[in-house]
Amino acid sequence: MDEIDQAKIELIMSLRRQGIRDKRVLNAIERIPREGFINASFRKQAYEDHALPIECGQTISQPFIVAYMTEQLHVTDRMKVLEVGTGSGYQAAVLSRLCRRVYTIERYRTLLRDAVKRFEELHLHNITAKVGDGAEGWTEQAPFDRIIVTAAAPSVPLKLVEQLKVGGLMIVPVGAPGGRGEQNLVRIERTEEGVQREELMPVRFVPLVEGVARES
């Protein structure tokens, strides 16, 4: 057993100790090679439970946060899921093992190109990705059973709520970006009457920025 395999086992055990119980989520994290979604210089840290830097000043979330957000979505294999903020592609890859199809939006062309390449290398054929403004969602493919937002919005994005099916769930960090204030992970359920909101836990995410990024 090499160092990567040992580190992966230790991570899964750590996630269990931290309360992750969904075996499908744990299996998905075990099957997706996190080391393939980060810079080679961080390979030895791939299965440590903390965030790591990626291109364009963004981060790949710590494994616990990925596992927790995924578990709180209650995804099944017949669902259509929207992800806002592709980043490295790791969260989308994990979701792809759990649902029928993932639609993912990224504002940085560089990040999206690299993520799509990783999806192809891993033969994850149920992920559809595009460059776009995540705050606008993906109206052509709406409504969605689930939506996951991997950047902090100042308030719950109403345009995304409108793209949820009745009975659908959205997980989104809400609050001030970076270290300038409190952020909380929020679960939204769309109902016939409106929405139900549940505060889950404090978090720290990069900000959800409108528009498509200008890259040199």
Side-chain angles (χ1 to χ4, degrees):
M1 182 181 298
D2 65 18
E3 290 183 17
I4 289 289
D5 290 335
Q6 182 62 39
K8 185 179 289 190
I9 289 171
E10 291 174 0
L11 173 63
I12 296 300
M13 292 173 64
S14 172
L15 294 177
R16 288 180 181 274
R17 287 194 298 271
Q18 293 179 81
I20 304 301
R21 296 284 179 262
D22 191 322
K23 291 181 179 179
R24 293 178 68 239
V25 172
L26 291 168
N27 287 341
I29 288 175
E30 189 171 4
R31 292 172 66 190
I32 297 297
R34 192 168 187 258
E35 69 274 15
F37 291 81
I38 57 177
N39 189 290
S41 61
F42 293 103
R43 179 180 168 86
K44 289 186 177 180
Q45 301 178 52
Y47 292 96
E48 294 177 8
D49 196 15
H50 55 75
L52 291 169
I54 59 173
E55 300 295 327
C56 303
Q58 305 300 295
T59 59
I60 178 173
S61 295
Q62 75 178 96
F64 171 73
I65 291 296
V66 173
Y68 182 81
M69 290 176 74
T70 305
E71 186 173 65
Q72 293 298 320
L73 270 183
H74 303 304
V75 176
T76 71
D77 59 7
R78 303 190 68 174
M79 289 182 173
K80 183 167 71 169
V81 180
L82 172 66
E83 179 194 37
V84 174
T86 312
S88 68
Y90 180 68
Q91 175 73 78
V94 170
L95 286 167
S96 75
R97 296 293 191 183
L98 302 170
C99 67
R100 179 170 61 85
R101 179 155 291 278
V102 180
Y103 292 87
T104 183
I105 307 172
E106 174 54 55
R107 67 188 301 266
Y108 288 98
R109 290 179 175 83
T110 301
L111 290 179
L112 192 81
R113 182 191 65 223
D114 292 346
V116 168
K117 186 184 300 182
R118 294 176 182 122
F119 300 152
E120 292 171 350
E121 290 171 351
L122 292 171
H123 306 291
L124 302 176
H125 302 303
N126 63 335
I127 303 176
T128 302
K130 76 169 184 176
V131 171
D133 183 347
E136 296 292 324
W138 199 324
T139 55
E140 299 87 348
Q141 296 297 337
F144 296 95
D145 299 288
R146 300 288 187 266
I147 297 177
I148 184 169
V149 184
T150 60
S155 59
V156 174
L158 295 182
K159 287 186 178 180
L160 298 183
V161 173
E162 291 168 358
Q163 293 179 33
L164 269 179
K165 289 182 180 178
V166 172
L169 299 176
M170 175 167 66
I171 301 285
V172 54
V174 176
R180 295 197 290 275
E182 187 177 85
Q183 294 178 7
N184 282 296
L185 199 61
V186 174
R187 180 165 57 196
I188 299 294
E189 179 180 0
R190 185 170 186 181
T191 67
E192 293 282 3
E193 294 76 28
V195 297
Q196 292 184 348
R197 173 176 174 146
E198 180 183 1
E199 305 274 336
L200 297 176
M201 65 182 293
V203 289
R204 180 174 294 182
F205 278 82
V206 297
L208 178 65
V209 180
E210 295 183 358
V212 174
R214 294 180 62 183
E215 298 177 73
S216 58

